[in-house]
Amino acid sequence: MSSEDEAPKPATTVPRTGMARFMRGVGSSDSSSSESSDESESDEDDEDEDEDDDDEDEKGIRILSAQEKRLKEMEATGKAIENGLKINDWVAISNEFDKLGRMVHRQQNMSEPAAPLYLKSLINLESSINTTVSKEKEAKKKMNATNAKALTAMKQKIKKALKEFEDDVSKYQKDPEAFEREYLAHISQATQTPATRGPAAAAAPATDADEFTTVGKGGRAQQYTSETIFKHLQAVQEARGKKNTDRAEQIRILEKLLEVSVTPYQRIRVLLALISYRFDYNSALSTHMPAELWLAAQREVDQLLSIVTTDTNYSVQEITDDYDELVERSPETEGGVVKIRGSIISFVDRLDDEFTRSLQNIDPHGTEYVDRLKDEKVLYTTICRSQAFYEKTDPKDPLARVIMRRLEHIYSKPNAVVQALESAAASDVQVKPTMSLEIQGDTTALIHALCAHLYKSGNSLLRTRAMLSHIYHHALYNNFYTARDMLLMSHLQESIHSADVATQILYNRTVVQLGLCAFRLGLIKEAQSTLLEIFTTQRVKELLAQGVHQQRFQTLTPEQEKAEKQRQLPFHMHINTELLEAAFLVSSMLVEIPLLASIDSEEQRRKTISKPFRRLLDFADRQVFTGPPESTRDHIMQASKALQDGEWEKCRDLIQSIKIWSLMPECASVKEMLAKRIQEQGLKTYLFTYAPHYSSCSLSLLSRTFALPLRTVSSIVSKMIWNEELSASLDQSAGVVVFHRMELSRQQQLAQTIADKLGVLVDQNEKTLDVKMGGSVGWNERGGDKGAKGGEQAQERRGRGERTRGARGGARGGRGARFAQGLGNQMPGGGQRQA
């Protein structure tokens, strides 16, 4: 160092504590003790860097700027994050990510752009978090609480960071290499200062962003031109599905190939490969496809449809002859239409499935669900484009599939939503399909045209689903009789048990919507009988694919739970189960309460009542104290008890105060209809209750009591007499209804009870004997004898003027007293028998 022939030793880094230490780093001939003491006080980092760079002293080392130091620190932190990912240590990853975030915010304070390394870390961490979460759901052994807490915290941090750097991330994903070139150019401009020393550093060339090129295997530069498209495309396709293949890099290569492609054949080939790669990007994950990838795939499907629609010399088909994939093909060389192996309808199906899957995995109560639902408009436009294309090329099977996809998007939606989708499709579609809203006129005609085409197709599954969708649409638009006749004539109820799960779910939804349609129109009996079957199972949500049924002593395996969740419908397609239950219970109340009043024995009462309604009613009767109603069931049960006691006005008020009716579009008309039905069923309950106790009753009194017109009262009484529900005659001249009955003595009542029990005993003995003998010999004869005997007994009772629902016992007295008290004691009291 003291020799004058040697060059001074260059410094390795920018000094931290001033010019004195920098001069010491350059070197001096002075070797005094003061210099050595200064060197002993230097930082450890400077000593390490001096030792590492001893072999480069003679070449000259460039002094690192503060910006480059931060970049090296970020690279070290990024490696620490990668090491944490390898061992699944989310606590360490969270700490390192916080450190990385502080570095980035320091860059922002210096007005520097976001580093590509940070953006790449964000993307990789998001993918790793999704993978870890999906594996954790299926894993038998869960991670510890600390690690799980750190994973949850990282999920929120990544979500916040992606939202903050949304523009930079999208720009980086679109073209990572161009983004890096811009960043390096910015750094080179910021570091062009006299910070280099030594002849080697002075002779070093300046950093130029234009000199960066993509390097392949062996260090050779990759050149993407139109002449080498097929060679690179084959290499990408051969790497597809292999282990350790960088799918993001493959997608970037295909995007570059799409940019340099010039002929329609080249663009079609690249687009087919690019769309397939986008769908396979998250194939290992159980979550949905990211919205950015989905939108990119949707745009590329539109681009592919535009090419094959405008240029009819090229056709994409699933089955073609073998051809050389490394040779350019054109209509001139092929001597006609160029057939390319591929499937557009499979892309459309995958787009629709991924869109549904994303809606299944997004929280339906947040704004993200609404934002994602807006993408249905562009998806519907793509489906209409593909329908127009297949109508032009006329392949039957893909056309039927795409029409079914279009039908599934509009059959369950109201008219305003369908018109919005159709208007968006009509404004964007290059070639409009023959079946559109503008051509058909209204939504019902459009649905009919789509279903009629599917009825003519040879696919039985599509025909079944089209029929169910058509019935659902008619029920949604209150065409009850049309929908009911279509369902009965289709005979689907006989074969639906052998259909696939998705079709059975659609059948259940159709039946439920038919019951709601009957309820809205005031057809109470039809609504009750239609909804009874599904409510008897007590698995309404599971049958409608709106929830997973949890049985008490059964647990689902992870595979079964995953399959159940995949069947669930998106939230915007759900039928409100509370509204459905309210309609069923109110219908059951209006049907069953008058029937309860007309039955004598407890055995008959057990047989005739629907089990769901009877169970709730019995539970309400057992309550010692009944408070104000809170839920929908409470309102209906208290209304049922009020109707039994004759308080029809209280019953009406309770039913109309249910808030769930506001979800019906015809809320006011439904409430008015229910009030009218409660009045009519209250009148029937009144007549069934008091028929055994009075010889006649005034029609005008009935009219005033139930606030019904006299004509309506006469009509109801006449129908009850005609249907043999009431043993009476109507005297319109006197304005009274005269009751007919025969009083049975105590001995006769006991004899009739004994005869009924003996009949039941004989039936049981005959069944037991038949099972023991192992055959059905003589069963038809015995059945015929019993039928004839029963007919004779019924004819004899009618001849005596006796009815099956005739004499009411003393047990009816208590209920009659409560009924009279509820009506305000309007019936005459004492021994007076004439009303």
Side-chain angles (χ1 to χ4, degrees):
M1 295 298 294
S2 62
S3 176
E4 296 179 358
D5 297 336
E6 293 179 343
K9 183 179 178 180
T12 57
T13 59
V14 177
R16 297 183 181 178
T17 60
M19 186 60 69
R21 293 180 60 190
F22 175 74
M23 294 303 295
R24 184 180 67 249
V26 173
S28 175
S29 60
D30 189 6
S31 59
S32 62
S33 61
S34 61
E35 183 178 359
S36 62
S37 62
D38 291 337
E39 290 177 356
S40 65
E41 295 175 357
S42 62
D43 295 333
E44 294 180 359
D45 294 338
D46 295 335
E47 292 176 359
D48 294 336
E49 290 174 357
D50 290 339
E51 291 175 1
D52 294 337
D53 297 336
D54 284 342
D55 58 342
E56 298 179 359
D57 288 345
E58 297 179 356
K59 299 179 182 179
I61 303 302
R62 184 171 60 87
I63 300 173
L64 296 177
S65 65
Q67 192 176 38
E68 291 172 329
K69 283 186 179 180
R70 287 195 295 271
L71 188 59
K72 281 186 173 296
E73 291 178 2
M74 292 179 67
E75 290 177 355
T77 307
K79 290 182 180 179
I81 291 176
E82 292 179 0
N83 294 333
L85 287 174
K86 292 179 181 179
I87 61 176
N88 202 25
D89 186 2
W90 289 99
V91 177
I93 294 172
S94 179
N95 297 331
E96 294 296 332
F97 183 76
D98 292 339
K99 184 178 177 182
L100 188 62
R102 288 192 293 270
M103 297 178 190
V104 171
H105 284 294
R106 197 183 311 155
Q107 280 186 327
Q108 289 181 328
N109 295 334
M110 302 292 293
S111 300
E112 296 178 4
L117 176 64
Y118 179 68
L119 302 179
K120 184 179 180 181
S121 300
L122 287 179
I123 297 172
N124 292 338
L125 281 172
E126 183 189 19
S127 177
S128 301
I129 287 173
N130 291 335
T131 306
T132 306
V133 170
S134 62
K135 289 181 179 179
E136 187 66 16
K137 290 181 180 179
E138 301 177 0
K140 296 182 179 179
K141 185 177 180 181
K142 305 295 183 180
M143 64 173 63
N144 58 60
T146 306
N147 209 21
K149 187 176 180 180
L151 174 62
T152 305
M154 275 300 300
K155 187 175 180 181
Q156 299 297 327
K157 292 176 184 177
I158 291 296
K159 185 176 180 180
K160 181 179 179 181
L162 287 173
K163 188 174 182 181
E164 182 179 357
F165 295 92
E166 184 177 2
D167 297 336
D168 293 332
V169 170
S170 60
K171 189 184 299 183
Y172 178 80
Q173 287 180 330
K174 187 175 182 181
D175 195 346
E177 295 183 358
F179 190 89
E180 290 179 2
R181 286 196 296 268
E182 293 179 3
Y183 181 75
L184 291 174
H186 184 275
I187 290 182
S188 64
Q189 293 176 3
T191 57
Q192 286 179 1
T193 60
T196 57
R197 297 291 184 270
T207 303
D208 190 2
D210 296 336
E211 295 181 3
F212 285 89
T213 57
T214 304
V215 178
K217 294 182 179 179
R220 298 177 182 177
Q222 296 282 359
Q223 298 293 334
Y224 298 107
T225 62
S226 60
E227 290 78 12
T228 60
I229 279 182
F230 299 121
K231 181 179 178 181
H232 292 299
L233 189 60
Q234 186 180 22
V236 170
Q237 290 176 344
E238 289 176 353
R240 182 181 180 185
K242 290 185 178 179
K243 192 176 181 180
N244 299 327
T245 300
D246 189 355
R247 295 175 181 174
E249 180 63 26
Q250 301 294 331
I251 290 177
R252 286 194 291 270
I253 293 174
L254 290 172
E255 288 175 345
K256 291 181 181 179
L257 294 178
L258 183 61
E259 293 176 0
V260 300
S261 59
V262 292
T263 64
Y265 180 73
Q266 292 176 353
R267 290 198 295 272
I268 292 173
R269 287 284 308 279
V270 175
L271 281 171
L272 289 172
L274 180 56
I275 296 170
S276 299
Y277 249 101
R278 290 202 188 277
F279 286 134
D280 293 345
Y281 186 77
N282 280 353
S283 59
L285 303 179
S286 60
T287 57
H288 60 281
M289 187 176 181
E292 296 78 12
L293 283 177
W294 187 90
L295 288 172
Q298 184 270 332
R299 288 192 295 267
E300 286 153 4
V301 171
D302 278 351
Q303 187 176 353
L304 178 61
L305 284 169
S306 177
I307 294 173
V308 296
T309 302
T310 54
D311 195 344
T312 56
N313 293 321
Y314 296 90
S315 176
V316 178
Q317 299 180 4
E318 296 182 6
I319 301 176
T320 60
D321 297 333
D322 293 336
Y323 55 85
D324 191 355
E325 296 184 351
L326 297 176
V327 178
E328 175 72 29
R329 301 169 65 200
S330 64
E332 291 77 13
T333 58
E334 296 293 324
V337 178
V338 179
K339 298 180 180 179
I340 307 169
R341 190 177 298 111
S343 177
I344 297 178
I345 184 61
S346 63
F347 291 154
V348 176
D349 290 342
R350 187 67 184 274
L351 275 177
D352 198 4
D353 293 339
E354 289 292 343
F355 178 75
T356 303
R357 191 179 303 172
S358 66
L359 291 176
Q360 290 173 345
N361 289 274
I362 296 175
D363 182 15
H365 304 292
T367 57
E368 185 182 359
Y369 188 89
V370 180
D371 295 337
R372 186 70 177 117
L373 194 57
K374 294 177 182 177
D375 294 332
E376 186 177 14
K377 186 180 293 184
V378 295
L379 174 60
Y380 188 77
T381 301
T382 302
I383 292 175
C384 290
R385 285 191 180 209
S386 57
Q387 181 186 343
F389 166 71
Y390 283 120
E391 285 178 351
K392 189 175 180 181
T393 55
D394 196 27
K396 294 183 179 179
D397 183 61
L399 179 59
R401 287 167 61 186
V402 76
I403 288 178
M404 190 69 238
R405 290 284 177 177
R406 183 182 179 188
L407 180 63
E408 288 175 347
H409 278 275
I410 61 176
Y411 81 94
S412 62
K413 291 181 171 58
N415 190 33
V417 180
V418 177
Q419 287 181 350
L421 291 175
E422 285 290 326
S423 61
S427 60
D428 293 340
V429 175
Q430 296 178 355
V431 181
K432 297 180 182 179
T434 57
M435 289 171 281
S436 63
L437 192 62
E438 295 180 356
I439 299 174
Q440 304 301 328
D442 61 346
T443 304
T444 303
L446 174 61
I447 297 290
H448 178 78
L450 295 174
C451 293
H453 185 277
L454 294 174
Y455 296 154
K456 298 175 184 177
S457 65
N459 194 323
S460 60
L461 175 61
L462 294 183
R463 281 203 306 268
T464 301
R465 294 187 64 85
M467 175 64 73
L468 292 173
S469 302
H470 205 175
I471 296 170
Y472 188 102
H473 176 78
H474 279 301
L476 185 66
Y477 282 65
N478 291 334
N479 299 325
F480 172 77
Y481 294 105
T482 303
R484 182 199 61 182
D485 295 344
M486 289 178 64
L487 182 62
L488 294 177
M489 289 188 296
S490 65
H491 297 283
L492 290 175
Q493 58 273 15
E494 301 173 3
S495 59
I496 194 62
H497 62 277
S498 61
D500 60 300
V501 177
T503 306
Q504 291 183 20
I505 292 171
L506 180 58
Y507 174 81
N508 295 335
R509 285 168 50 82
T510 302
V511 171
V512 163
Q513 191 61 243
L514 188 63
L516 284 177
C517 175
F519 182 80
R520 289 193 298 267
L521 296 177
L523 305 173
I524 301 301
K525 289 185 178 180
E526 290 82 353
Q528 196 266 349
S529 60
T530 304
L531 298 176
L532 176 61
E533 183 177 359
I534 192 169
F535 272 94
T536 305
T537 61
Q538 299 183 6
R539 298 186 304 162
V540 179
K541 287 189 175 182
E542 182 185 2
L543 294 177
L544 297 178
Q546 296 177 188
V548 179
H549 179 65
Q550 295 292 344
Q551 296 184 4
R552 182 177 299 177
F553 301 105
Q554 181 182 4
T555 57
L556 298 177
T557 63
E559 293 78 10
Q560 291 174 337
E561 187 176 359
K562 183 179 178 181
E564 286 287 342
K565 289 182 178 180
Q566 289 178 350
R567 297 191 193 108
Q568 302 304 303
L569 293 173
F571 181 76
H572 69 281
M573 296 181 66
H574 285 191
I575 299 174
N576 192 292
T577 53
E578 186 179 355
L579 176 63
L580 196 62
E581 185 182 34
F584 168 71
L585 292 179
V586 170
S587 301
S588 299
M589 177 192 73
L590 295 176
V591 171
E592 304 293 354
I593 293 300
L595 190 59
L596 270 174
S598 65
I599 294 175
D600 290 331
S601 63
E602 185 64 27
E603 182 180 354
Q604 288 178 325
R605 186 177 290 109
R606 284 197 302 268
K607 292 181 179 179
T608 54
I609 296 298
S610 60
K611 290 184 179 179
F613 179 79
R614 177 61 184 272
R615 185 167 51 250
L616 294 174
L617 190 61
D618 289 344
F619 179 78
D621 288 336
R622 289 195 300 267
Q623 296 297 318
V624 178
F625 173 76
T626 304
E630 296 179 357
S631 63
T632 302
R633 289 185 178 182
D634 293 343
H635 280 82
I636 298 174
M637 290 302 105
Q638 292 192 20
S640 301
K641 295 175 69 175
L643 188 60
Q644 278 184 321
D645 296 340
E647 302 175 0
W648 67 270
E649 293 179 342
K650 180 181 178 181
C651 174
R652 178 197 61 192
D653 296 338
L654 285 169
I655 294 299
Q656 289 186 344
S657 62
I658 298 176
K659 297 180 180 179
I660 201 65
W661 302 132
S662 59
L663 297 181
M664 281 191 174
E666 308 90 355
C667 177
S669 60
V670 168
K671 288 184 177 180
E672 184 179 355
M673 177 271 297
L674 288 176
K676 184 178 179 181
R677 293 294 182 271
I678 289 172
Q679 288 174 294
E680 294 175 355
Q681 300 305 319
L683 173 60
K684 286 187 176 181
T685 307
Y686 181 94
L687 292 175
F688 284 138
T689 304
Y690 285 103
H693 304 286
Y694 294 92
S695 59
S696 63
C697 186
S698 172
L699 295 178
S700 60
L701 175 62
L702 296 176
S703 176
R704 292 193 305 270
T705 304
F706 294 94
L708 288 172
L710 187 61
R711 187 182 185 88
T712 305
V713 173
S714 302
S715 175
I716 293 173
V717 173
S718 300
K719 287 180 181 178
M720 293 175 68
I721 295 173
W722 174 259
N723 294 330
E724 296 184 355
E725 296 175 348
L726 190 66
S727 178
S729 60
L730 186 63
D731 188 357
Q732 292 185 347
S733 60
V736 295
V737 53
V738 181
F739 301 111
H740 306 297
R741 65 185 178 280
M742 175 178 287
E743 294 290 346
L744 297 178
S745 64
R746 180 62 178 168
Q747 291 79 5
Q748 290 174 329
Q749 293 177 3
L750 292 174
Q752 187 174 1
T753 303
I754 293 173
D756 292 339
K757 291 184 177 180
L758 287 175
V760 173
L761 183 61
V762 169
D763 291 341
Q764 292 178 351
N765 289 338
E766 288 179 348
K767 290 179 182 179
T768 305
L769 180 62
D770 185 67
V771 171
K772 187 175 181 180
M773 297 296 293
S776 58
V777 180
W779 181 257
N780 293 331
E781 289 79 358
R782 290 196 298 271
D785 294 340
K786 289 195 299 180
K789 186 183 298 182
E792 292 175 359
Q793 292 176 354
Q795 186 175 2
E796 181 180 357
R797 285 196 296 270
R798 285 196 297 270
R800 297 198 309 263
E802 175 191 353
R803 288 191 41 78
T804 306
R805 301 188 183 98
R808 270 66 174 178
R812 191 74 61 104
R815 187 166 68 249
R818 292 197 308 273
F819 204 106
Q821 184 179 4
L823 289 174
N825 297 323
Q826 296 180 9
M827 293 297 296
Q832 187 176 359
R833 305 284 293 174
Q834 187 93 10

